[in-house]
Amino acid sequence: MLYAELPAPDKRGSFHHLCLQVPDVDKANAILQSRAGKINYTKSMEIQTGINRKRQLNLYDPDGTRVELMEPKTVDGVPAPSSTAPPPKPAI
């Protein structure tokens, strides 16, 4: 992530993150687990279900910024909205 000023360690890895969509998070996790030792990656790599009911895997770069891998479909097959935030207002 590019920052004008690096956020404090406890502020990194939550709101400031990058998300990549992967078709199969189990397969992505297996590949990453097999390669983690080569780069001395020691953080936990556990698959979780996010609040949007999509399976995800969170990884962290050396600065603590989260990189999220997420499957496109929800675990229950019911579409989830991408956000609960109101739509942006049109520019005037």
Side-chain angles (χ1 to χ4, degrees):
M1 298 296 281
L2 300 175
Y3 302 104
E5 291 184 37
L6 188 63
D10 64 333
K11 301 294 182 198
R12 297 180 225 158
S14 53
F15 297 111
H16 304 287
H17 73 279
L18 169 67
C19 181
L20 304 171
Q21 187 177 64
V22 296
D24 184 337
V25 78
D26 288 313
K27 185 174 181 179
N29 189 30
I31 292 168
L32 292 167
Q33 292 279 359
S34 73
R35 297 177 182 178
K38 293 177 185 175
I39 61 167
N40 297 320
Y41 189 85
T42 58
K43 296 194 186 265
S44 174
M45 287 190 269
E46 295 179 27
I47 297 170
Q48 302 171 332
T49 301
I51 59 171
N52 60 358
R53 300 183 323 279
K54 294 180 181 182
R55 290 171 13 107
Q56 64 187 41
L57 175 63
N58 294 305
L59 308 163
Y60 296 87
D61 77 4
D63 290 326
T65 301
R66 177 166 57 121
V67 177
E68 176 182 18
L69 303 182
M70 183 182 298
E71 290 180 339
K73 296 182 180 178
T74 59
V75 294
D76 57 10
V78 176
S82 59
S83 174
T84 57
K89 295 182 179 183
I92 298 177

